[in-house]
Structures are given as structure tokens and as C-alpha cells.
Amino acid sequence: MEEGGWMRQVQLDETTDVQVVKRMPEIHKAQQPSIAIITSAYYEKLAVDAMMEEKTTYVRYKSGKGAESNVYTLGYIGNHKVVTTKLPQMGHHRAAKISTGNTTTRLLGTFGQVEHVFLVGCGGGVPHFTDFYKHCRLGDVVVSTPNQAGDIYIYCDKATENEKNQVQYTLKGWGPKDKVIQDVAEEIRNQLHVNPAHRPWVEYLSDGQERLCSQEADFARPKQSSDKLYMNVGGSDVIEVGHPPVPEEHEHLYQAGIPTIRYGAVGSGRPVVAKDHLRQDFAYTHNIVCYDSEFDQVLDSVTGSGLRSFIFIRGICDYLDGSKSKTWSPYAALAAAAYTKTLISALPNPAVDS
């Protein structure tokens, strides 16, 4: 590293090899990753990397003004070769849009055999105060599935209200052309109904907590009492309310203290996220289960690269209710990573299957 540069030092498990390089070494086509996992926070990448075996982290360092370094971790999840990375910054200001788009394009250009993209990390749940089946609790995992328009991610660029309080949204949606990942997720969902004890992500979550116990971030599950739900009653006034209870006929499908898997679209956009009534209305209109960071530039790069298969896996860390606590974030990220491992392990791999 040149004078004035710095690198984050972390405690990695014994299966991780770290190499600092100016350019990525050539990787034979047969050894190229077929799956890319993109995260946006450091603890999210730690969580995903904890799910991998035989991994090597390459720190692609660039010096000079405006230069961007990239960190790629290559390894295996199940019988799939995987590459993970973290976006340098998020947001809708110009620098962030350019950076996230360029990082994604560079990732997919560097690893040209990638067929599937997973966007894994944390999200804000959409509360359903009376409907248990639509309500996300902290620590639950959302799997992005197409809404009525076929979109798994909907970005709102503008929301306009008229004098009758009717809202018109200017939006853009993205949906995978190849739904193989969503089909496998549906198979896992059906298996759970047949055998409620079959939850591989619970074991993967526990294994990840062991691997990450020495990290600065705390990946343990917070106390359930900290999962507080608030309802807006007008203006800036809120009241605390109870979570909808589990219906008796389906109690065997849900266990307290472990993540429940929810399905639906992911939404984003400052015009709707900032206002409670717009956030709820936009969610109900477009079957949105959780809100996320602004990934529109990332998805433009993914689809612009010709990739037809992608999915969001988000662990619920808050309800976008104005609370600033990050207590649930590391655990939620690890829960999302654990389900991601479950999904990738079940995903067909033609190169191996044949």
C-alpha cells in the first residue's frame, strides 16, 4: 500500500486466504463463478462470506485520486462457485449512482461466466397490523417474488398527491426473465409445508454465528422484547401496538426465535420511504413486503449485462418507523445469508449435474 493508504483489518476464519493484487489473476473458464452475490454493508458481506467454503479474498487495490478498489471473495456454496463483493456506497446522489453501477458492471465483466445474481442484506419490513400472513417481524427473511406486474423490485422516482389525496407514482420495475431461482424458492416453501422441521437455514445461521463470534459486529439474535411495533396515528404521533398473533391452525409452521421466510416484492425510492402513508399505500398497491436501499443502478447494470436471473434476499432489521437502532442489522443480514445458502445449495448446477 502506498503512503497514506489504509486497509480494513479483520479476523477471518482459518478457511480464508487473503491476497492483495493490482489485477485479478486469470481464472480458467471451468473455475469461474456462476453466481455473484452483491452486498452493500460490511457486516452483510461478512455474513455471506461465512456461508462459503474454500474461499479466497482478493483485494484489488488501485491508487490515485478517484480510484476505486474492489474486494472479491471466491469460494463454494454447495457445488456452486460463488463470488461476493460489497458496493462502495449507496444512495441516489450522483457519485453513489455512478459508483454502484460501475462496481456492478466491473464485477460482471471480471467474472464473465456469472449466470445468477443475488442481492443479499438487510431491509425494512412493511407492517401489517392485523394480518399475520403478510406481516414481517424483525429477523424474518424476505425472498423477492414477482408481483402482479412480474416485478420483484419496484423503484419510485416521484410521488404526486392531488387535492383529493389521490397519489400518482412514477416508477420503474425489474423482474427476472429466467425465474429458476424463484422456482427453487417455491420448492423450498412447499417442502416446509410438508415437513415443518426441514429448515436448513437454521443450522446455517447457527454455524455462521460460530464463525463470526470474534467479529466487532454482534451477530447474535437480539432479545425478542426489542422487536417493538409502532403505528402512526396522524402527523408525527405514534403508538406502540402488538404484533398480529399466529393463527392456531398454522402454529406448527412457525417457531418463535427463528426466522420466518416471507415472499413478495421489494420496494425503494425516497419519495415513498420518507412518508408513512405513502410507504403503506405504495406497498399495498404493488405487493411490496419490504423496502430497501436504492438498487436501481445496480439492476440496470445487471440487466444491461444480459443477465436474466436475479433475486433479492433481505433480512428484516427495522420497520422504517424513524428508529435509528441498528441492533437487529447483523443478525438480519446473517439470517438472509443463511437462507441464501439454502437456496443456492438447492439450485441446479448443469456442469455438475451432467
Side-chain angles (χ1 to χ4, degrees):
M1 303 289 284
E2 65 180 24
E3 185 178 354
W6 62 274
M7 181 187 301
R8 186 193 295 267
Q9 295 288 332
V10 297
Q11 290 181 289
L12 299 170
D13 61 73
E14 65 278 3
T15 63
T16 303
D17 176 35
V18 180
Q19 299 181 26
V20 179
V21 297
K22 286 192 174 181
R23 61 177 59 88
M24 285 294 299
E26 287 191 20
I27 302 175
H28 189 273
K29 183 177 179 180
Q31 296 299 316
Q32 284 265 354
S34 60
I35 294 174
I37 303 178
I38 298 174
T39 62
S40 61
Y42 179 63
Y43 57 83
E44 294 174 350
K45 187 176 186 302
L46 282 178
V48 170
D49 290 353
M51 299 295 127
M52 300 167 65
E53 305 296 337
E54 301 177 40
K55 50 185 180 276
T56 300
T57 293
Y58 295 95
V59 181
R60 186 182 181 186
Y61 174 69
K62 289 186 177 182
S63 61
K65 185 178 180 180
E68 288 185 356
S69 299
N70 301 107
V71 178
Y72 300 126
T73 299
L74 283 81
Y76 287 90
I77 294 179
N79 57 23
H80 292 272
K81 188 72 173 287
V82 174
V83 57
T84 70
T85 195
K86 185 189 83 66
L87 299 171
Q89 55 183 315
M90 294 298 293
H92 220 65
H93 54 281
R94 185 172 181 272
K97 290 171 65 175
I98 294 173
S99 179
T100 55
N102 287 348
T103 298
T104 306
T105 300
R106 192 178 303 116
L107 166 71
L108 300 177
T110 302
F111 303 99
Q113 300 301 309
V114 167
E115 298 177 357
H116 313 286
V117 174
F118 287 69
L119 297 110
V120 181
C122 293
V126 176
H128 286 263
F129 301 103
T130 59
D131 189 342
F132 170 81
Y133 298 109
K134 294 181 179 180
H135 180 60
C136 291
R137 296 200 60 167
L138 302 187
D140 286 351
V141 175
V142 168
V143 179
S144 63
T145 53
N147 65 3
Q148 59 270 28
D151 298 323
I152 66 169
Y153 186 86
I154 303 97
Y155 172 74
C156 179
D157 185 56
K158 185 179 181 181
T160 306
E161 293 184 77
N162 61 24
E163 63 277 2
K164 296 181 180 180
N165 292 325
Q166 296 171 327
V167 185
Q168 183 175 1
Y169 299 105
T170 303
L171 53 83
K172 182 177 181 179
W174 292 262
K177 302 297 184 183
D178 183 348
K179 297 181 177 61
V180 59
I181 309 177
Q182 283 77 13
D183 291 341
V184 173
E186 184 63 22
E187 291 175 8
I188 295 172
R189 184 182 190 180
N190 293 335
Q191 290 172 5
L192 180 62
H193 282 274
V194 174
N195 179 13
H198 183 68
R199 304 169 193 256
W201 54 91
V202 176
E203 179 181 348
Y204 299 150
L205 176 56
S206 178
D207 291 344
Q209 287 171 326
E210 284 191 30
R211 288 192 175 191
L212 297 170
C213 63
S214 62
Q215 295 294 333
E216 181 179 349
D218 185 1
F219 289 90
R221 183 180 176 91
K223 293 181 179 179
Q224 199 65 30
S225 59
S226 65
D227 182 6
K228 297 183 182 299
L229 184 63
Y230 298 95
M231 176 186 290
N232 184 284
V233 292
S236 59
D237 296 329
V238 297
I239 58 172
E240 184 176 350
V241 297
H243 294 273
V246 182
E248 288 186 13
E249 64 270 22
H250 287 143
E251 284 184 344
H252 64 290
L253 294 175
Y254 303 94
Q255 297 181 22
I258 66 172
T260 294
I261 312 303
R262 301 294 188 181
Y263 303 86
V266 177
S268 182
R270 189 171 300 175
V272 291
V273 171
K275 296 182 179 180
D276 184 78
H277 71 287
L278 292 182
R279 190 167 64 245
Q280 295 289 339
D281 180 73
F282 191 68
Y284 297 155
T285 302
H286 298 285
N287 193 31
I288 290 169
V289 182
C290 80
Y291 283 98
D292 210 334
S293 303
E294 297 179 341
F295 280 95
D296 51 308
Q297 294 298 315
V298 174
L299 289 174
D300 276 345
S301 295
V302 169
T303 55
S305 298
L307 285 172
R308 298 165 53 85
S309 176
F310 54 91
I311 194 169
F312 282 80
I313 309 292
R314 316 309 290 182
I316 300 303
C317 64
D318 60 36
Y319 299 112
L320 296 176
D321 55 8
S323 59
K324 301 297 183 182
S325 174
K326 299 293 184 183
T327 303
W328 281 83
S329 295
Y331 175 85
L334 189 59
Y339 183 83
T340 299
K341 181 173 181 175
T342 302
L343 189 49
I344 291 176
S345 298
L347 196 65
N349 186 342
V352 174
D353 297 341
S354 61

